[in-house]
Amino acid sequence: MDKSNIEHNSQNIYYRSTVGAAEAGSNMRLGIRINTDEVVRQVLLHTWSESTGEKWSNMTTQDKNNTKEKFYSTEISMPENGGLIWYYFIIVTAERTYYYGNNPEQLGGIGELYFDYAPPAYQITVYRRGAKTPDWFKHAVMYQIFPDRFYRAGNEIIEKPGAVYHASWKDEPAYYKDPDTNEIIAYDFYGGNLKGIESKLDYLKDFGISAIYFNPVFESESNHHYDTGDYHKIDPILGTNEDFKHLVDTAKAKGINIIIDGVFSHTGSNSIYFNRNGQYNSLGAYQSKDSPYFDWYSFRNYPNDYESWWNFSTLPNAPVIQTGALFFVEHTGLEPATF
């Protein structure tokens, strides 16, 4: 079977009745077009979600004629709670079994034919029933900012353990890795800060920007700040909690909304909550089962074997986190959804 003779397009309503995210409890029709001289014995939709595990659904066709091109489809129900569903197709013919999944870049849209089990899967994002996005967001012109790489106000450089500062904004980014373990031992920084961003708000407004999307700004070891150390504290290298509040208020007055990439499904291994290296004055989950944060994490073999984001040991999964959302309320007076 040639790959051009089989197609599913996750961005086309013909193949997927809900393009994009789907509401919890709703139904979705998924279809795949197969054009082959081979005898198709069975077409299955394989789905997986954290709440339901693996499922196999039989796909059927309404094409009763003898043409070799047929469209197979099935309908699945979204779970009652939000989350992610992953899917791909299994085509069993008289000659062999084929698999059709996401393209190698995993960008969605038209996929790829594979000959090995478990190809890259398509994703369905399931949002909670009745959820409504802010109206201002629907017509916003958004600008994404990686705070460390945008602009620095003032010449002060905040000392940070393990940080390597670039002397010039034109320097190429660099990784500093342990040659034996290949783990990152230091992160590079350019020195951008919140005050620098605030000083450029008029510049952004002149562009027509009405929303700024920040990469995470909470305290952490890295320059990308996805390995959160403390959700209640802006990373000092970027500024203070007061700087953040002032930035939000100033942007709002200029008609610019602020969105923060708050990652609350995992923390840093070196954090108040996990504290693998004992850098914080807290009883972390890695240090003791009596830690108030122990139930946040899933240990397979305590303490060194634990679930983590894409198996990066520096990013232990912690899907029950609530404290990050509290930051927004306590330090801005705004609910997260109103930014």
Side-chain angles (χ1 to χ4, degrees):
M1 185 185 298
D2 187 85
K3 66 179 182 180
S4 64
N5 292 334
I6 179 170
E7 182 174 289
H8 169 78
N9 186 341
S10 64
Q11 298 167 1
N12 187 323
I13 197 170
Y14 176 72
Y15 295 97
R16 178 165 156 171
S17 62
T18 303
V19 174
E23 187 175 29
S26 65
N27 293 327
M28 179 184 291
R29 178 186 54 80
L30 292 168
I32 186 168
R33 179 186 61 81
I34 301 174
N35 186 352
T36 180
D37 290 321
E38 297 182 33
V39 177
V40 177
R41 291 179 172 172
Q42 190 176 31
V43 180
L44 296 170
L45 174 70
H46 175 274
T47 57
W48 181 91
S49 71
E50 189 172 4
S51 60
T52 62
E54 289 185 291
K55 288 186 177 180
W56 290 264
S57 303
N58 192 49
M59 305 186 73
T60 58
T61 179
Q62 300 301 315
D63 298 321
K64 303 301 182 183
N65 53 41
N66 293 323
T67 59
K68 61 181 183 179
E69 180 173 315
K70 290 182 169 60
F71 183 79
Y72 293 81
S73 66
T74 190
E75 190 171 272
I76 61 173
S77 297
M78 301 299 105
E80 290 300 320
N81 297 309
L84 297 176
I85 296 176
W86 304 90
Y87 71 91
Y88 60 82
F89 304 91
I90 304 171
I91 303 100
V92 181
T93 73
E95 284 77 13
R96 63 165 302 159
T97 299
Y98 301 91
Y99 303 90
Y100 190 93
N102 205 343
N103 47 66
E105 297 80 15
Q106 300 190 47
L107 298 175
I110 296 175
E112 187 84 14
L113 185 66
Y114 298 86
F115 301 96
D116 298 316
Y117 179 72
Y122 286 100
Q123 175 184 309
I124 302 171
T125 299
V126 182
Y127 60 88
R128 71 177 183 273
R129 192 190 299 267
K132 184 179 183 298
T133 57
D135 290 334
W136 63 261
F137 179 77
K138 297 169 184 173
H139 304 286
V141 178
M142 188 175 297
Y143 190 92
Q144 182 173 0
I145 291 178
F146 191 111
D148 175 67
R149 310 295 166 92
F150 184 72
Y151 190 74
R152 180 171 69 242
N155 295 317
E156 182 183 9
I157 295 294
I158 305 298
E159 293 295 328
K160 185 182 183 73
V164 176
Y165 284 95
H166 288 282
S168 170
W169 287 90
K170 296 181 180 180
D171 288 349
E172 290 289 328
Y175 276 116
Y176 301 94
K177 295 185 177 182
D178 185 306
D180 297 321
T181 65
N182 208 37
E183 288 196 3
I184 296 174
I185 56 177
Y187 287 91
D188 65 331
F189 292 84
Y190 287 79
N193 54 29
L194 297 179
K195 288 183 178 179
I197 297 169
E198 185 173 332
S199 72
K200 293 293 185 180
L201 288 176
D202 287 334
Y203 163 79
L204 294 171
K205 187 172 179 61
D206 288 342
F207 267 143
I209 303 303
S210 57
I212 299 174
Y213 173 86
F214 285 126
N215 286 82
V217 294
F218 301 121
E219 182 177 77
S220 67
E221 290 186 313
S222 71
N223 48 32
H224 55 71
H225 297 97
Y226 283 98
D227 53 334
T228 305
D230 185 348
Y231 284 104
H232 285 81
K233 186 179 181 182
I234 295 293
D235 195 308
I237 207 168
L238 300 175
T240 65
N241 291 2
E242 291 71 28
D243 291 336
F244 173 72
K245 176 67 163 61
H246 196 270
L247 170 60
V248 171
D249 291 341
T250 305
K252 194 77 171 180
K254 295 178 182 292
I256 299 175
N257 288 281
I258 302 295
I259 301 172
I260 290 181
D261 189 344
V263 181
F264 308 131
S265 60
H266 57 259
T267 69
S269 58
N270 297 322
S271 63
I272 287 177
Y273 321 104
F274 202 75
N275 212 10
R276 185 174 68 177
N277 292 348
Q279 294 177 201
Y280 285 87
N281 185 24
S282 67
L283 186 64
Y286 180 88
Q287 298 163 309
S288 172
K289 294 182 180 181
D290 293 327
S291 167
Y293 311 111
F294 177 76
D295 289 341
W296 286 17
Y297 303 92
S298 297
F299 291 92
R300 291 182 287 257
N301 186 13
Y302 187 82
N304 291 311
D305 186 9
Y306 46 86
E307 293 183 9
S308 57
W309 184 81
W310 284 64
N311 295 319
F312 286 97
S313 63
T314 55
L315 300 172
N317 287 338
V320 299
I321 291 175
Q322 300 295 326
T323 188
L326 293 177
F327 175 89
F328 295 103
V329 179
E330 293 177 2
H331 297 284
T332 68
L334 300 170
E335 294 290 342
T338 66
F339 272 70

